Amino acid sequence: MRVRFTIAAIVAFVMAVMAYFVLARKSTVPQATFVLLSGRTLSTSSLRGQVYLVNFWATSCATCIKEMPQMVKTYERFKGRNFEFIAVDMSYDPLPYVTDYTLTRHLPFEVAKDVDGRLAREFYDVRLTPTTFLVDKQGNIVKRILGEPDFPELDRLIQHELAKNA
């Protein structure tokens, strides 16, 4: 009886340690290149050393459209402080809609078009919009947010990451 208990305790301990390492491991941002509406390119490697958000969205997504003014405010609060924002439009969204929305709403941050769905796949297979990733200065994904963010919490996270040394 005592041997079984000891073996069960050891197995439980080993499983707990393995679970800790699996869950504690940070996801890194994929090596990806964004093709911006301006025609320029921007890569995740060029963003290293900055805190940034990658927001997957679509003009046909009601929640995306609802959150966009707050995303603009978030960007405005942190711009110029080693912070970047890339809005990635989903592949199914017609380019004229994206261009029109970007211009008429005067989006102040970078907007990229995911023409073939490659970016969504590279970013851990994004299928739902909005999906937002907060990335730290080392290229680790700090948080993946499905749906509209809790903006006060997002601001706290961004502030915390900006305050860290690179």
Side-chain angles (χ1 to χ4, degrees):
M1 181 78 158
R2 186 172 272 176
V3 173
R4 284 186 187 170
F5 177 76
T6 303
I7 291 171
I10 291 170
V11 169
F13 176 76
V14 169
M15 290 179 69
V17 169
M18 289 173 54
Y20 170 79
F21 284 109
V22 167
L23 296 175
R25 187 178 53 196
K26 290 186 178 180
S27 297
T28 57
V29 72
Q31 293 299 314
T33 300
F34 307 98
V35 177
L36 307 176
L37 293 183
S38 66
R40 291 185 318 111
T41 59
L42 183 64
S43 68
T44 54
S45 60
S46 71
L47 293 167
R48 195 159 182 106
Q50 296 184 72
V51 173
Y52 60 98
L53 290 174
V54 178
N55 174 249
F56 286 86
W57 69 291
T59 60
S60 60
C61 165
T63 304
C64 300
I65 299 307
K66 178 182 177 283
E67 79 174 5
M68 198 56 79
Q70 191 63 39
M71 290 296 201
V72 169
K73 288 178 184 175
T74 299
Y75 173 74
E76 294 291 343
R77 263 192 302 283
F78 294 106
K79 75 176 181 180
R81 295 176 53 195
N82 210 19
F83 177 77
E84 190 58 70
F85 188 113
I86 303 98
V88 181
D89 185 68
M90 298 296 281
S91 62
Y92 53 80
D93 210 5
L95 183 58
Y97 293 10
V98 179
T99 304
D100 181 62
Y101 186 88
T102 301
L103 293 174
T104 60
R105 302 313 189 284
H106 306 288
L107 298 184
F109 40 73
E110 303 292 358
V111 178
K113 178 70 177 149
D114 188 6
V115 177
D116 58 4
R118 176 187 48 80
L119 288 168
R121 286 189 303 278
E122 289 176 349
F123 272 83
Y124 302 97
D125 205 21
V126 170
R127 293 175 188 252
L128 301 173
T129 57
T131 296
T132 305
F133 295 88
L134 173 60
V135 183
D136 71 12
K137 295 174 185 175
Q138 291 76 37
N140 296 310
I141 295 173
V142 174
K143 186 156 182 98
R144 178 181 181 163
I145 304 163
L146 299 175
E148 186 175 0
D150 172 343
F151 283 100
E153 175 64 17
L154 180 59
D155 281 4
R156 281 191 293 280
L157 286 170
I158 293 169
Q159 186 68 41
H160 177 75
E161 292 304 320
L162 287 171
K164 288 182 179 179
N165 291 332

